[in-house]
Amino acid sequence: MTSLPLIPATSVAPAARRAYMPPQHLADLDLAGRQALVTGLGEPAFRAKQVSNHYFGRLVRDPQALTDLPAATRERLADQLLPPLLTPVRELACDDGATRKALWRLHDGALVESVLMGYPDRVTVCISSQAGCGMACPFCATGQAGLTRNLSTAEIVDQAVYMAGVAASGVVAGSPPRLSRVVFMGMGEPLANYNRVIAAIRRLVSPAPEGLGLSQRHITVSTVGLVPAIRRLASEDLSVTLALSLHAPDDDLRDELVPVNQRWKVAEVLDAAWDYAARTGRRVSIEYAMIKDVNDQPWRADLLGRLLAGKLAHVNLIPLNPTPGSRWDASPKPVEREFVRRLREAGVSTTVRDTRGREIDGACGQLAAAEDNDTFTDRAGEAPA
Ligand code: SAH
């Protein structure tokens, strides 16, 4: 693992921190909104496109780099369209640079993380939709600290634009230079920040200069299962991939592992998922963290198989990633293999997710956005070059 250069961070005591939304940024607005803003400032409307082209087309986030704008215009527009939203606190890389995690400080001191994963055929960025998370899943590090606040649309989009710039710079060796996928699997529950997440998705899929021009199919929204929001998402004119964090096929256990299950039960959430699949034609991804002696029994594999057989679903098993203070471990490999075998026998397509980013606490469920985390420095110090 390599520890990349970082900007020194001043400590903000959580008690002294007030959660409030950041200034407006061009990524909060669609193109028409940006044009209205620009003309309101007394500038010609085409400036909106020009600045948007820099941001979404060339991935330029620094207003000083907008050298084709007259200096006075640049300053006026930079304030209104490109206020800095994410201040880098720390960047870590592992897997020879193919996995990179960025820790950001937001304007009010809140901290969030994003993770970039390069593969031979694609580059995926995992972004956060909230600072912290209110869903309280006991095996997830983000869930332990509670919710600080929702991110703004632009704070969500800017993570993807930044990481697209990292990919374009060529540092992700062995991967294409263009960001291909965005997964809402970082910190937070995306469907609990519904309107801003939907607006962010619209920015990600609109062609440049309005947006980043990604394919809808290459956007994944992962949820604990907020049923009304899943139904609402199905009624949008979007066909993004839905991932459902199921983790247990029975209500007894799911009530504990995913506490929101106490409100919306397994049967209800799967019903909403199948409606989503029917409306969009997209296969739903069922996320299932394999936790030793907790949810990995053969009978649970069989029950899950019965629930999913014949449905437009794919199971992603996630070996449990270690989190501080957790009493749980990942399932042993033979248990995992038997679980996979039983699901496949039931006719359910199943894969096991790689544990990308584990050594930089960047894997699923490990994002805690701790700024004074000694483990980071210790591990960075002893990492092979
Ligand atoms: N709140 C959303 C988005 C987070 S996605 C959701 O829960 O779906 C992060 C994924 O990693 C979720 O599927 C989550 O359940 C899973 N996860 C959380 N903690 C984990 C851990 N310790 N090991 C493996 N997966 C974990």
Side-chain angles (χ1 to χ4, degrees):
M1 183 184 75
T2 334
S3 195
L4 304 171
L6 50 107
I7 293 177
T10 45
S11 215
V12 179
R17 188 201 296 154
R18 262 187 53 225
Y20 57 101
M21 296 309 272
Q24 182 173 269
H25 179 283
L26 73 84
D28 288 308
L29 304 167
D30 60 13
L31 192 56
R34 287 170 224 162
Q35 282 162 341
L37 189 137
V38 163
T39 49
L41 293 169
E43 293 285 340
F46 74 83
R47 295 278 185 225
K49 243 186 193 167
Q50 197 177 5
V51 179
S52 301
N53 249 321
H54 281 292
Y55 182 74
F56 283 116
R58 296 178 48 226
L59 311 171
V60 167
R61 297 162 64 253
D62 174 10
Q64 294 317 313
L66 273 51
T67 47
D68 56 344
L69 289 176
T73 302
R74 182 160 70 221
E75 237 160 68
R76 196 163 39 238
L77 293 186
D79 275 1
Q80 301 292 320
L81 291 176
L82 292 171
L85 298 176
L86 309 175
T87 306
V89 176
R90 183 194 307 117
E91 281 191 49
L92 298 170
C94 62
D95 304 326
D96 285 332
T99 308
R100 321 174 78 91
K101 180 171 87 163
L103 170 67
W104 307 107
R105 176 190 310 290
L106 309 181
H107 80 118
D108 59 346
L111 298 168
V112 294
E113 292 179 321
S114 334
V115 183
L116 181 86
M117 289 157 288
Y119 301 88
D121 61 332
R122 66 185 192 280
V123 177
T124 300
V125 61
C126 173
I127 59 176
S128 297
S129 56
Q130 299 181 311
C133 184
M135 297 299 131
C137 303
F139 56 94
C140 175
T142 313
Q144 302 318 297
L147 176 67
T148 302
R149 70 165 166 87
N150 284 325
L151 300 194
S152 71
T153 297
E155 283 172 327
I156 297 169
V157 173
D158 204 33
Q159 297 169 58
V161 171
Y162 173 86
M163 288 300 198
V166 171
S169 75
V171 294
V172 191
S175 294
R178 196 174 144 66
L179 178 69
S180 15
R181 289 169 194 261
V182 173
V183 297
F184 285 81
M185 292 190 178
M187 300 174 75
E189 166 51 41
L191 296 187
N193 186 15
Y194 188 88
N195 290 337
R196 297 183 191 91
V197 164
I198 295 296
I201 294 171
R202 295 200 188 283
R203 296 302 106 75
L204 296 175
V205 303
S206 302
E210 175 142 19
L212 209 46
L214 297 175
S215 146
Q216 292 191 17
R217 297 192 325 277
H218 291 164
I219 309 275
T220 299
V221 174
S222 182
T223 178
V224 289
L226 307 184
V227 166
I230 294 174
R231 295 198 176 282
R232 207 173 148 197
L233 184 64
S235 70
E236 306 277 350
D237 56 338
L238 290 169
S239 55
V240 296
T241 301
L242 180 71
L244 172 64
S245 296
L246 194 66
H247 305 309
D250 53 308
D251 287 321
D252 272 355
L253 180 57
R254 193 165 193 267
D255 280 350
E256 184 189 350
L257 293 183
V258 185
V260 80
N261 195 71
Q262 294 162 24
R263 178 79 175 75
W264 293 290
K265 298 294 175 191
V266 170
E268 272 177 280
V269 77
L270 286 179
D271 234 33
W274 307 146
D275 285 349
Y276 186 86
R279 289 282 287 265
T280 59
R282 312 236 12 100
R283 199 163 73 156
V284 174
S285 178
I286 303 290
E287 313 293 293
Y288 199 104
M290 291 292 286
I291 315 178
K292 183 181 176 200
D293 297 334
V294 173
N295 65 352
D296 60 357
Q297 303 81 356
W299 72 264
R300 282 202 162 92
D302 293 342
L303 176 55
L304 185 62
R306 286 198 297 277
L307 292 176
L308 305 187
K311 305 293 189 189
L312 209 49
H314 173 89
V315 175
N316 236 314
L317 296 179
I318 317 171
L320 186 80
N321 290 308
T323 58
S326 170
R327 56 201 152 107
W328 286 318
D329 294 316
S331 305
K333 281 293 157 193
V335 172
E336 182 185 283
R337 276 196 291 273
E338 177 62 8
F339 207 89
V340 172
R341 194 189 65 75
R342 285 174 183 255
L343 283 171
R344 289 188 180 151
E345 200 174 69
V348 178
S349 106
T350 304
T351 48
V352 178
R353 181 178 290 168
D354 67 3
T355 50
R356 269 299 181 100
R358 251 194 197 178
E359 61 174 295
I360 52 173
D361 284 344
C364 296
Q366 293 186 311
L367 302 186
E371 130 180 67
D372 305 317
N373 186 341
D374 286 335
T375 4
F376 276 124
T377 10
D378 291 352
R379 288 192 206 162
E382 71 197 27

